[in-house]
């Protein structure tokens, strides 16, 4: 019987939210099939056409009010509670900007690509919840600068958030699990190599093999709402 993992690090991508009705990025009808990421998910794109970028994020933010966490999100919330109850830890690093992990009970959560439900002021740095649409006409409630508010998300070419915390957790993990990501965006896609170098086994739970499937020591394929709850039940001895 292998020892029960005590320090689990999980990386999620848009695939875990797919069955909640949130679009993935690179599937055939995904976000990047409809938009050019250089126009809507880069600082250059925002500088060139802020109204387009605000429309892109306003539409996705509005969409969040009609989706709910699915069985995979809830299973990860249960996993964290169960592992913490037996003195361990679960660190959940998500590339997703939706709030479905929080709504499903996950607590130790690092949004490395930001959160669509928050705004950031490019002038004073203030970050706060923003339920409504953002626009260039809006002034920052702190520094009162107009036109400086942007979505609190990490664009291509920008430094992901919480990298120190993420790499610290990976360095002391005894299990690394990647769920619902194509493994095509770095540095997130490099985390499995960081975990393997630290000596941890690495498992991929995905609809199909990702671009870095060969780097994992174990894998299970199928819809997240099926394979994630089954894996959590096994781990918690349910
Ligand atoms: C940076 C913003 C450096 C918010 C996003 C090497 C090293 C470092 C960087 C680079 C590098 N090479 C290239 C780079 C640059 C770049 C990059 O990686 N480019 C790629 C395209 C090659 N990386 C960056 O720019 C990053 N920044 O490196 O900064 C730096 C250093 C110093 C100083 C300054 C900067 C920043 C990257 C973040 C970009 N922001 N999003 C938003 O709009 O959402 S990226 C975007 O892709 C999302 O965050 C998304 O989460 C992420 C990854 O996509 P996935 O989540 O994996 O989604 P995808 O559709 O691809 O896959 C879905 C998967 O789910 C599939 O496998 C599918 O099979 C599966 N699935 C589907 N349905 C289900 C399912 N699985 C289970 N069940 C289902 N039902």
């Amino acid at each position: 019987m292998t020892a029960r993992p005590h320090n689990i690090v999980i990386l999620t991508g848009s695939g875990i939210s797919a069955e909640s009705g949130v679009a993935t990025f690179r599937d055939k009808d995904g976000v990047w099939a409809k938009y050019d990421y250089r126009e809507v998910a880069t600082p250059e794109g925002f500088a060139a056409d802020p109204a387009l970028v605000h429309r892109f994020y306003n539409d996705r933010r509005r969409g969040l009010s009609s989706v709910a966490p699915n069985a995979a999100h809830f299973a990860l919330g249960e996993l964290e509670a169960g592992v913490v109850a037996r003195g361990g830890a679960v660190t959940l690093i998500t590339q997703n900007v939706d709030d479905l992990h929080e709504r499903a009970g996950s607590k130790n959560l690092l949004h490395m690509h930001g959160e669509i439900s928050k705004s950031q002021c490019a002038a004073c740095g203030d970050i706060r919840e923003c339920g409504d649409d953002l626009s260039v006409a809006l002034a920052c409630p702190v520094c009162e600068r107009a036109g400086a508010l942007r979505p609190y998300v990490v664009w291509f070419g920008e430094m992901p958030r919480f990298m120190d915390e993420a790499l610290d957790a990976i360095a002391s993990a005894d299990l690394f699990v990647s769920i619902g990501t194509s493994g095509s965006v770095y540095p997130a896609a490099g985390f499995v190599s960081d975990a393997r170098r630290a000596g941890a086994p690495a498992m991929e739970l995905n609809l199909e093999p990702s671009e870095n499937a060969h780097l994992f020591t174990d894998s299970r394929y199928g819809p997240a709402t099926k394979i994630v709850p089954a894996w959590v039940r096994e781990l918690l001895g349910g």
Side-chain angles (χ1 to χ4, degrees), residues 14 19 25-26 57 60 113 154 157-158 181-182 186 206 224:
S14 60
E19 290 162 272
F25 289 87
R26 292 166 190 83
Y57 285 97
R60 288 171 61 195
H113 290 166
V154 175
E158 295 186 322
T181 180
S182 62
Y186 289 83
N206 209 49

Side-chain angles (χ1 to χ4, degrees), residues 22 59 67 69 73 87 121-122 137 143 145 166 184 189 208 211 232:
V22 180
D59 291 350
V67 299
H73 296 105
C121 176
C143 72
R145 270 277 305 274
S184 51
E208 61 203 4
E211 290 182 24
V232 168

Side-chain angles (χ1 to χ4, degrees), residues 12-19 23-27 30-32 37 40-41 56-57 60 94-97 112-114 116 153-160 179-188 204-211 222-225 227-228:
T12 60
S14 60
I16 199 169
S17 299
E19 290 162 272
T24 61
F25 289 87
R26 292 166 190 83
D27 287 333
V31 174
W32 300 146
Y37 79 90
V40 294
F56 173 64
Y57 285 97
R60 288 171 61 195
T94 187
Q95 299 172 90
N96 300 341
V97 294
M112 68 179 291
H113 290 166
I116 201 166
V153 295
V154 175
W155 286 324
F156 288 96
E158 295 186 322
M159 182 55 96
I179 303 175
T181 180
S182 62
S184 51
V185 173
Y186 289 83
E204 176 169 74
L205 301 179
N206 209 49
L207 192 61
E208 61 203 4
S210 69
E211 290 182 24
T225 54
I227 62 175
V228 176

Side-chain angles (χ1 to χ4, degrees), residues 10-12 76 90-94 101 106 108-111:
I10 299 169
L11 172 70
T12 60
L76 294 187
V90 173
T91 303
L92 177 50
I93 308 166
T94 187
H101 282 307
S106 288
N108 189 14
L109 177 59
L110 301 175
H111 272 283

